[in-house]
Amino acid sequence: MSNLKYLACPFSHEDPEIEIARWNLSPQVAAHMMGNDMPHVYNPLTTSLLYQKINDSVPASWHFWERVDFEYLSMSSKLYVLKISGWRQSRGVSAEIKYAEDNDMEVSYIDPDSIGVPHTPTPGKTEKQILRSIHHMKNDFISNFSR
């Protein structure tokens, strides 16, 4: 079995500020896990949103990402679920938990505050700042790739 760990986090919300806060939180928790003897953590929220922001043709729907996420889950040895507001109502997180349970995968729940990663409903960066960072990363990637 793989040593890969899968980090599930709710994302969708009617308030875009909450979505940005969740997008900011998930890589902080993944980085904490990686820095604490758990180097193989896959964080789907960070990558999927990044791909969508780089290329508008990448779908945002759970229907599309379900197949991608389940593929990574199938390669993982454990599912970690961020216990933040909305995790029980999240269609994606609920499906990921069900997939893990149906495939006899261990599921653990993480309260970010309990591991020293505080979170608040207000994001640290505005959407414009995040998009600007993504734009710079995209340009850097393209210029390095085309060398």
Side-chain angles (χ1 to χ4, degrees), residues 35-61:
N36 285 280
D37 230 9
M38 202 178 300
H40 308 290
V41 178
Y42 175 67
N43 177 9
L45 177 54
T46 302
T47 54
S48 60
L49 190 60
L50 179 62
Y51 297 152
Q52 291 166 23
K53 295 296 184 185
I54 288 172
N55 185 334
D56 291 340
S57 69
V58 175
S61 70

Side-chain angles (χ1 to χ4, degrees), residues 83-102:
K83 285 178 67 175
I84 61 173
S85 176
W87 76 271
R88 291 182 195 269
Q89 296 81 20
S90 170
R91 181 176 173 195
V93 172
S94 296
E96 290 160 337
I97 292 169
K98 181 174 180 353
Y99 179 94
E101 290 172 345
D102 289 350

Side-chain angles (χ1 to χ4, degrees), residues 15-16 20 57 60 67 78 81-82 89 98 111:
D15 182 349
I20 293 168
S57 69
R67 295 173 300 160
K78 187 171 184 176
V81 177
L82 280 181
Q89 296 81 20
K98 181 174 180 353
D111 174 357

Side-chain angles (χ1 to χ4, degrees), residues 1 6 10 28 33 59-60 85 87 90 95-96 103 106 132 135 146:
M1 174 55 78
Y6 186 102
Q28 290 178 47
M33 294 168 75
S85 176
W87 76 271
S90 170
E96 290 160 337
N103 288 280
E106 185 179 352
R132 200 172 306 123
H135 179 74
S146 56

Side-chain angles (χ1 to χ4, degrees), residues 4-127:
L4 184 66
K5 311 299 188 240
Y6 186 102
L7 180 62
C9 177
F11 176 67
S12 297
H13 195 276
E14 61 273 0
D15 182 349
E17 292 290 310
I18 300 295
E19 289 183 339
I20 293 168
R22 291 173 175 177
W23 190 75
N24 280 328
L25 176 65
S26 65
Q28 290 178 47
V29 172
H32 174 83
M33 294 168 75
M34 291 173 148
N36 285 280
D37 230 9
M38 202 178 300
H40 308 290
V41 178
Y42 175 67
N43 177 9
L45 177 54
T46 302
T47 54
S48 60
L49 190 60
L50 179 62
Y51 297 152
Q52 291 166 23
K53 295 296 184 185
I54 288 172
N55 185 334
D56 291 340
S57 69
V58 175
S61 70
W62 170 244
H63 176 74
F64 174 81
W65 287 105
E66 178 180 32
R67 295 173 300 160
V68 175
D69 292 350
F70 285 176
E71 184 68 28
Y72 278 101
L73 264 173
S74 74
M75 296 183 286
S76 300
S77 60
K78 187 171 184 176
L79 169 65
Y80 285 89
V81 177
L82 280 181
K83 285 178 67 175
I84 61 173
S85 176
W87 76 271
R88 291 182 195 269
Q89 296 81 20
S90 170
R91 181 176 173 195
V93 172
S94 296
E96 290 160 337
I97 292 169
K98 181 174 180 353
Y99 179 94
E101 290 172 345
D102 289 350
N103 288 280
D104 299 319
M105 183 184 299
E106 185 179 352
V107 179
S108 291
Y109 298 86
I110 299 175
D111 174 357
D113 291 322
S114 72
I115 61 170
V117 181
H119 69 286
T120 61
T122 305
K125 292 184 175 182
T126 66
E127 186 172 12

